[in-house]
Amino acid sequence: MTLKLHWFLPTTGDGRTIVEHFHASRAAGASAAREPSLDYLAQVARAAEANGFEGVLTPTGTWCEDAWLTTAALIRETSTLKFLVAFRPGTVSPTLAAQMAGTFQRISRGRVLLNVVTGGDAVEQRRFGDWHGHDQRYARTGEFLEIVRGVWSGKPFDYAGEHLEVEGATTRAVPDPVPPIYFGGSSAAALPVAARHADVYLTWGEPPAQVAEKIAKVRELADEQGRKLRFGIRLHTLSRDTSAEAWAEAGKLLEAIDPERIAHTQEQLSASESVGQQRMAALHGGKTDGGVRGLEIHPNLWAGIGLVRGGAGTALVGSHGEVADLIEEYHAHGIEEFVLSGYPHLEEAYWFGEGVRPELLRRGLVA
């Protein structure tokens, strides 16, 4: 099966260095060189569309612009691009989420995808007024998605769970097509929810062997539910005409990072309840003494992004052919969708689209 490629909308800002206020307030991090204005985000969205990406992921959190409003504003700026809208189940009612997604699907003519983010950072969740514990949040997410799909059945839906309850939940019309659910989570509480409710299970960019192990666990749980899932991965990318050029650019990113910022970010991230975040941090250990190649944790897989960025912390780095090789390796383990990004997002969309995508096309991996 051919791959699906997605890009990323930098709604916290963009620039030629790694944006450093991912898990902090704006005052605590370096200002982005490019503000996330609608005009700039439209440039990124159009670049993604022009370079063959199917959709763009738009993040959620207090550190970025709202994903629903931003992507809705970009519908008229694009023609075919889909919008993978990230949102948190604990901050909006399931009936309202089903309604917003249905409306988005109709006015965009079928261009919405949904990324359900349960949240592994208690500090961030409390900013939204969510005081549930980690496992409780995943249990609530399961109930939330049960209701959303019930609302989309086209009939009034009743549900009474431990965390959520609705009566006669419905919406004006069933979305056509029903938006696919993208879902990530690495904990024991997360995997059964993914198996039962997700259409696409997303993982962060661990080395291929670790990704294969995780896929096997989720696939087994889904089989028990009589369901088949697609699998996707969230990565950054930095490809150039030669490997040396790509690694030189990675070196520039690393050199621009303040060691104090690394220590501060790692202190913040160490408090995260997210198992996925803990696994990301273990890939680099917060250390840079080996230089840029010392953070290469698998051939052409670089962990340097995660030094100052929460969430996805690894990048595909190398020549266009080497990056295509690693994508093909992940695909051999079952990954069918790649959600990519790079700094700056505008230029890197072209580097990938004009460099790596033709390689994938020659190999029959993309259409």
Side-chain angles (χ1 to χ4, degrees), residues 145-279:
L145 293 174
E146 198 83 46
I147 294 170
V148 167
R149 293 201 186 275
V151 172
W152 287 340
S153 70
K155 301 176 182 178
F157 183 73
D158 296 340
Y159 183 88
E162 182 180 352
H163 304 280
L164 298 170
E165 183 174 357
V166 296
E167 183 175 320
T170 187
T171 187
R172 173 179 169 270
V174 177
D176 183 23
V178 170
I181 302 293
Y182 289 66
F183 181 94
S186 299
S187 68
L191 298 186
V193 178
R196 181 172 176 80
H197 297 286
D199 297 302
V200 180
Y201 175 77
L202 285 176
T203 181
W204 286 329
E206 298 175 26
Q210 295 180 32
V211 169
E213 181 182 352
K214 189 184 295 185
I215 285 175
K217 289 180 181 178
V218 178
R219 183 173 282 139
E220 182 179 357
L221 290 170
D223 286 344
E224 292 173 1
Q225 299 284 337
R227 303 186 70 242
K228 298 294 182 185
L229 276 61
R230 289 172 59 86
F231 294 91
I233 193 167
R234 174 77 181 92
L235 289 156
H236 305 277
T237 177
L238 201 171
S239 75
R240 294 294 184 269
D241 295 335
T242 68
S243 186
E245 289 176 289
W247 284 106
E249 289 297 322
K252 290 178 185 178
L253 290 177
L254 184 61
E255 289 169 8
I257 300 174
D258 183 346
E260 291 185 5
R261 173 55 52 189
I262 295 175
H264 177 69
T265 302
Q266 293 307 307
E267 182 182 1
Q268 285 186 308
L269 297 180
S270 67
S272 174
E273 298 173 327
S274 167
V275 173
Q277 185 61 69
Q278 294 164 12
R279 291 168 69 113

Side-chain angles (χ1 to χ4, degrees), residues 38-214:
L38 190 60
D39 286 342
Y40 179 68
L41 295 175
Q43 287 185 63
V44 175
R46 287 193 292 265
E49 187 172 75
N51 282 283
F53 292 97
E54 176 157 329
V56 285
L57 170 63
T58 310
T60 179
T62 56
W63 45 269
C64 60
E65 299 292 358
D66 177 72
W68 290 104
L69 293 175
T70 303
T71 52
L74 293 171
I75 292 172
R76 291 286 184 121
E77 301 287 343
T78 55
S79 300
T80 61
L81 191 70
K82 296 180 180 179
F83 295 96
L84 180 49
V85 180
F87 71 98
R88 298 173 188 253
T91 63
V92 63
S93 85
T95 305
L96 179 58
Q99 181 187 43
M100 290 192 298
T103 299
F104 201 130
Q105 193 72 314
R106 282 185 289 280
I107 65 175
S108 69
R109 297 180 181 178
R111 292 195 281 149
V112 68
L113 315 168
L114 298 178
N115 180 29
V116 176
V117 179
T118 299
D121 184 344
V123 173
E124 174 77 1
Q125 291 301 122
R126 289 169 186 170
R127 291 174 186 157
F128 286 106
D130 180 12
W131 294 81
H132 279 60
H134 177 276
D135 289 2
Q136 287 181 309
R137 290 197 293 272
Y138 278 103
R140 180 183 59 195
T141 294
E143 295 183 7
F144 181 98
L145 293 174
E146 198 83 46
I147 294 170
V148 167
R149 293 201 186 275
V151 172
W152 287 340
S153 70
K155 301 176 182 178
F157 183 73
D158 296 340
Y159 183 88
E162 182 180 352
H163 304 280
L164 298 170
E165 183 174 357
V166 296
E167 183 175 320
T170 187
T171 187
R172 173 179 169 270
V174 177
D176 183 23
V178 170
I181 302 293
Y182 289 66
F183 181 94
S186 299
S187 68
L191 298 186
V193 178
R196 181 172 176 80
H197 297 286
D199 297 302
V200 180
Y201 175 77
L202 285 176
T203 181
W204 286 329
E206 298 175 26
Q210 295 180 32
V211 169
E213 181 182 352
K214 189 184 295 185

